[in-house]
């Protein structure tokens, strides 16, 4: 048994209102560079719908995730090593920019500069790729407010799998919101697909990251990820993805999307798992048993044997205690109400979901019956407006039994708590009907409905002895350069928002934005001084702009390269990666620039 720690998340879909606050704050924090306009590390999809990118769940087209070969062994759905080698220079199984959307902005300048005319001027959408006028026809959640339309019904890959009866019920219109981030899987197919080994899973907490130094832009990871949560930055030529806000996690803070969630539907905690059983669980031949197989990989942190094994593996004692208090462990194991997204992809995702139950009370009440009576609720689950078959295709590879069991527990909790809230004694037969006792049902209610901040987020801080290794890992991530995600200031690939950008982003017109995105220098326009980039210095002399000009240099106008403004031709087009060993200087004594 090899015990490892994994940061995980559970989202309660019953509480998601589709406000997209998580999407906006995530994008604002981590994608402030040019080339990431179409990147949404966190997005909220309206289901049923095609998702983002379009029809990403159709693995017969995109070939993401794992499959079992004829010998029953795990193999990438995109093919083995030989096939991937032949297609390394051209990976055709990827969504196009149209499947994401062509990024655009609006020409607001026309509203103020248009001449006097009979009609009111408009701010036309302008493509950030071509700069021409365009018609907006797709975006990160185009399905929003269109759930239930006939056009989307035929395009939803999940809906195509369910029975004809569900398709007929679809005419009654049902919809719910599904927030999505990178799943930070136990068996990530994106990492297995990367030819250069740039995607790795952190040993400390299981977070999956992209080493920007190692990434060569093969884009095999985009094909390999079945959730299509790896994006290619066409400006930098690198892959980027959700980082699970690891700088915040290391100091015990939740992710930005969780911190700003209006519905408080996200839970974050640590779980322990047996790394030696991951391959066996992912290789389960029966897809409907993959849920049970994945649950079996998770270890009970209260088990003394697991605690001793964790100590042998170097997991700190306070981390084990955090795993014991983890809301993730309780929701997945104790209450068994959380389910993984598409376990049939065999990546063993670690972002789990509590399926929605909200419409059931209203459906029963409309019939004139008591909508929160236990008998009525249990009988109504099979006739939910959100069909159980549809939820099963999302969370249990089509097996309706686990989904029905979860919905029955949620319904029992509502019925049981209704009696308590009305001042009556709780009916012990209600939790007993779903395999729970009164105490555990009340605790589940507290966690799902009334949990405080420190109950929803049980995140142990990184230890001082881990600081050095974590720092080295952090330098490999896309955060490690001036102007990187969330850093602000002038970035290496055109100027970004932040302290170094004097013009408020809210009033930046289309022409300024286009010039900033297409600039070859670190600052635009050229009248602004570019920042000195020591990573591009060859170690000889003094780089331009490092020191202020001397008085004699200003007098004769020849600064000899010291203190002079960096010309556009001399400004680095990109930040060079750090050399091996983490040093910013070249190899000792040879005076060469870092490679």
């Amino acid at each position: 048994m090899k015990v490892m720690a994994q940061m995980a998340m559970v989202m309660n879909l019953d509480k998601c209102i589709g406000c997209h606050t998580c999407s906006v704050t995530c994008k604002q924090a981590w994608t402030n560079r040019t080339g990431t306009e179409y990147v949404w590390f966190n997005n909220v999809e309206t289901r049923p719908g095609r998702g983002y990118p379009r029809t990403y769940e159709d693995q017969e087209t995109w070939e993401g995730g794992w499959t079992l070969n004829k010998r029953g062994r795990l193999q990438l759905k995109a093919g083995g090593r030989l096939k991937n080698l032949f297609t390394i220079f051209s990976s055709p199984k990827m969504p196009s920019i149209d499947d994401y959307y062509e990024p655009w902005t609006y020409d607001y300048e026309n509203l103020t500069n248009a001449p006097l005319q009979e009609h009111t001027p408009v701010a036309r959408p302008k493509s950030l790729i071509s700069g021409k006028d365009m018609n907006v026809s797709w975006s990160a959640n185009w399905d929003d407010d269109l759930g239930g339309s006939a056009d989307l019904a035929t395009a939803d890959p999940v809906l195509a799998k369910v029975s004809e009866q569900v398709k007929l019920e679809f005419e009654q219109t049902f919809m719910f919101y599904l927030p999505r981030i990178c799943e930070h899987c136990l068996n990530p197919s994106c990492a297995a697909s990367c030819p250069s080994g740039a995607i790795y899973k952190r040993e400390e907490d299981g977070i999956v990251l992209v080493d920007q130094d190692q990434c060569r832009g093969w884009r095999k990871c985009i094909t390999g990820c079945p959730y299509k949560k790896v994006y290619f930055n066409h400006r930098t030529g690198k892959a980027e993805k959700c980082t699970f806000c690891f700088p915040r996690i290391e100091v015990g803070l939740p992710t930005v999307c969780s911190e700003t969630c209006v519905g408080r539907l996200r839970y974050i905690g640590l779980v322990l798992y047996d790394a030696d059983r991951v391959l066996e669980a992912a290789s389960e031949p029966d897809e409907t048993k993959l849920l049970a197989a994945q649950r079996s990989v998770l270890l009970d942190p209260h088990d003394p044997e697991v605690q001793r094994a964790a100590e042998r593996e170097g997991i700190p004692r306070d981390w084990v205690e955090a795993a014991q208090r983890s809301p993730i462990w309780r929701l997945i194991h104790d209450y068994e109400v959380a389910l993984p997204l598409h376990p049939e992809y065999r990546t063993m995702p670690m972002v789990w979901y509590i399926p929605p139950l909200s419409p059931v009370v209203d459906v029963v009440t409309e019939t004139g019956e008591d909508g929160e009576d236990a008998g009525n609720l249990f009988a109504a689950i099979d006739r939910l407006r959100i069909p159980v078959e549809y939820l099963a295709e999302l969370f249990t590879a089509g097996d309706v039994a686990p989904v029905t069991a979860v919905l029955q527990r949620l319904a029992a909790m509502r019925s049981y708590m209704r009696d308590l809230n009305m001042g009556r004694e709780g009916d012990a037969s209600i939790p007993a009907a779903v395999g729970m006792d009164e105490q555990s049902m009340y605790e589940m209610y507290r966690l799902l409905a009334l949990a405080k901040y420190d109950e929803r987020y049980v995140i142990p801080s990184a230890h001082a002895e881990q600081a050095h290794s974590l720092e080295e890992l952090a330098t490999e991530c896309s955060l490690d350069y001036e102007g990187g995600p969330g850093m602000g200031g002038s970035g290496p690939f055109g100027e970004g928002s932040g302290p170094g950008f004097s013009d408020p982003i809210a009033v930046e017109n289309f022409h300024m934005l286009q010039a900033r995105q297409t600039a070859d220098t670190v600052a635009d326009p050229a009248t602004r001084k570019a920042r000195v980039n020591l990573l591009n210095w060859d170690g000889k002399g003094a780089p331009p702009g490092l020191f202020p000009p001397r008085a004699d240099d200003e007098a004769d106008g020849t600064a000899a390269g010291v203190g002079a403004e960096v010309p556009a031709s001399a400004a680095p087009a990109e930040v060079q990666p750090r050399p091996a060993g983490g040093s910013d200087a070249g190899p000792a004594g040879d005076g060469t620039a870092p490679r």
Side-chain angles (χ1 to χ4, degrees):
M1 179 171 60
K2 181 177 176 57
V3 180
M4 298 190 72
Q6 171 74 45
M7 293 305 305
M9 180 182 292
V10 170
M11 302 192 201
N12 186 358
L13 298 185
D14 235 356
K15 302 170 75 173
C16 184
I17 61 175
C19 66
H20 299 268
T21 303
C22 54
S23 300
V24 174
T25 52
C26 172
K27 188 163 182 62
Q28 188 76 4
W30 303 118
T31 62
N32 66 338
R33 292 98 58 235
T34 55
T36 59
E37 291 83 2
Y38 78 102
V39 170
W40 294 84
F41 295 156
N42 187 114
N43 70 294
V44 182
E45 299 171 355
T46 301
R47 306 312 301 255
R50 287 166 284 184
Y52 181 75
R54 266 188 287 212
T55 65
Y56 72 92
E57 293 161 304
D58 183 5
Q59 303 311 328
E60 298 304 317
T61 299
W62 305 121
E63 298 183 350
W66 301 89
T67 187
L68 296 180
N69 59 21
K70 295 180 179 179
R71 293 180 292 177
R73 296 181 179 179
L74 272 185
Q75 176 183 294
L76 290 172
K77 197 172 181 65
R81 295 181 179 180
L82 187 61
K83 181 179 178 181
N84 278 285
L85 179 62
F86 285 147
T87 59
I88 191 171
F89 294 106
S90 176
S91 183
K93 299 294 184 178
M94 291 190 304
S96 67
I97 194 66
D98 291 334
D99 293 310
Y100 294 101
Y101 65 86
E102 185 173 353
W104 78 90
T105 187
Y106 295 97
D107 189 5
Y108 293 111
E109 186 182 20
N110 186 53
L111 298 179
T112 57
N113 294 349
L116 185 64
Q117 53 186 289
E118 181 181 354
H119 302 287
T120 303
V122 296
R124 294 185 179 278
K126 297 275 189 177
S127 170
L128 290 179
I129 296 178
S130 65
K132 299 179 180 178
D133 291 347
M134 62 172 290
N135 291 322
V136 180
S137 58
W138 185 252
S139 68
N141 191 15
W142 202 256
D143 296 329
D144 198 9
D145 297 330
L146 298 177
S149 68
D151 293 338
L152 299 185
T154 57
D156 185 347
V158 176
L159 196 65
K161 297 179 181 180
V162 297
S163 66
E164 189 65 32
Q165 179 63 30
V166 173
K167 292 181 181 179
L168 293 176
E169 292 177 357
F170 182 69
E171 297 175 359
Q172 301 176 15
T173 305
F174 68 93
M175 59 174 286
F176 61 96
Y177 296 107
L178 180 71
R180 289 203 308 120
I181 65 171
C182 168
E183 299 287 332
H184 296 277
C185 308
L186 297 182
N187 184 35
S189 54
C190 60
S193 302
C194 180
S196 51
I199 300 185
Y200 62 98
K201 188 173 181 65
R202 293 211 308 188
E203 183 178 359
E204 291 80 5
D205 50 23
I207 296 176
V208 179
L209 297 175
V210 181
D211 184 340
Q212 296 288 287
D213 290 345
Q214 292 290 331
C215 180
R216 296 295 179 264
W218 298 117
R219 287 175 269 191
K220 286 291 184 178
C221 53
I222 300 176
T223 302
C225 175
Y227 305 97
K228 293 298 174 279
K229 275 299 176 180
V230 183
Y231 300 87
F232 185 71
N233 187 325
H234 297 272
R235 182 74 169 172
T236 66
K238 306 285 187 178
E240 299 184 9
K241 61 178 291 297
C242 160
T243 65
F244 211 81
C245 293
F246 73 87
R248 295 173 58 91
I249 294 293
E250 288 171 5
V251 295
L253 294 176
T255 61
V256 171
C257 60
S258 300
E259 183 83 72
T260 60
C261 177
V262 173
R264 299 181 179 180
L265 60 96
R266 298 177 188 237
Y267 300 79
I268 299 178
L270 194 73
V271 293
L272 304 178
Y273 71 97
D274 186 357
D276 291 337
R277 294 164 57 185
V278 170
L279 177 60
E280 178 185 356
S283 303
E284 167 61 51
D286 187 351
E287 290 186 346
T288 60
K289 296 180 180 180
L290 286 171
L291 170 62
Q294 184 168 347
R295 278 181 171 155
S296 69
V297 171
L298 304 182
L299 299 174
D300 185 356
H302 300 280
D303 187 344
E305 182 180 351
V306 172
Q307 297 174 12
R308 289 190 294 269
E311 183 178 0
R312 290 194 299 268
E313 297 296 336
I315 299 177
R317 177 62 188 175
D318 61 327
W319 280 45
V320 176
E321 292 174 352
Q324 294 173 349
R325 295 182 290 110
S326 171
I328 308 302
W329 172 253
R330 283 184 284 167
L331 292 171
I332 293 177
H333 181 269
D334 294 347
Y335 309 141
E336 294 187 354
V337 293
L339 304 171
L341 181 63
H342 290 298
E344 70 272 17
Y345 297 160
R346 301 179 183 274
T347 60
M348 306 191 73
M350 290 311 295
V351 177
W352 293 50
Y353 294 87
I354 300 175
L357 181 68
S358 293
V360 66
V361 175
D362 296 335
V363 170
V364 177
T365 304
E366 289 173 357
T367 65
E369 301 292 337
D370 185 351
E372 292 186 337
D373 179 79
N376 293 335
L377 277 177
F378 290 163
I381 285 179
D382 292 335
R383 295 188 295 274
L384 283 174
R385 287 179 58 195
I386 303 177
V388 176
E389 291 86 350
Y390 187 87
L391 296 174
E393 290 294 340
L394 280 176
F395 303 121
T396 57
D399 186 8
V400 298
V403 178
T404 301
V406 170
L407 297 178
Q408 286 179 343
R409 289 198 167 193
L410 296 177
M413 180 188 70
R414 291 191 179 190
S415 182
Y416 177 77
M417 289 307 303
R418 197 271 298 267
D419 287 338
L420 296 185
N421 292 332
M422 296 295 291
R424 299 191 292 263
E425 289 188 8
D427 184 355
S429 65
I430 296 177
V434 292
M436 299 178 69
D437 55 50
E438 292 185 84
Q439 178 65 25
S440 60
M441 178 155 287
Y442 183 76
E443 290 175 352
M444 181 174 71
Y445 161 74
R446 289 277 310 177
L447 183 59
L448 293 180
L450 304 175
K452 298 183 182 297
Y453 187 93
D454 57 354
E455 295 174 316
R456 287 183 284 123
Y457 311 128
V458 182
I459 307 171
S461 301
H463 276 234
E465 62 269 20
Q466 298 174 326
H468 182 67
S469 59
L470 288 173
E471 182 180 2
E472 289 184 350
L473 289 173
T475 60
E476 300 169 352
C477 185
S478 58
L479 306 178
D480 184 49
Y481 54 77
E482 176 69 16
M487 297 293 187
S490 298
F493 308 103
E495 191 169 2
S497 60
F501 188 42
S502 59
D503 296 306
I505 194 70
V507 298
E508 182 183 30
N509 62 44
F510 166 69
H511 303 290
M512 294 170 61
L513 181 61
Q514 187 180 42
R516 174 163 67 87
Q517 290 177 314
T518 57
D520 292 327
T521 65
V522 296
D524 190 75
T527 55
R528 294 193 186 129
K529 291 186 178 180
R531 299 191 178 190
V532 177
N533 179 12
L534 293 180
L535 295 183
N536 204 38
W537 178 37
D538 63 0
K540 300 177 181 179
L546 180 60
F547 302 104
R550 296 192 297 265
D552 53 342
D553 292 332
E554 289 182 338
D556 60 14
T558 57
V562 179
E565 182 172 324
V566 180
S569 59
E574 60 179 331
V575 168
Q576 300 298 321
R578 295 166 62 94
S583 172
D584 288 341
D590 64 3
T592 58
R595 294 186 296 110

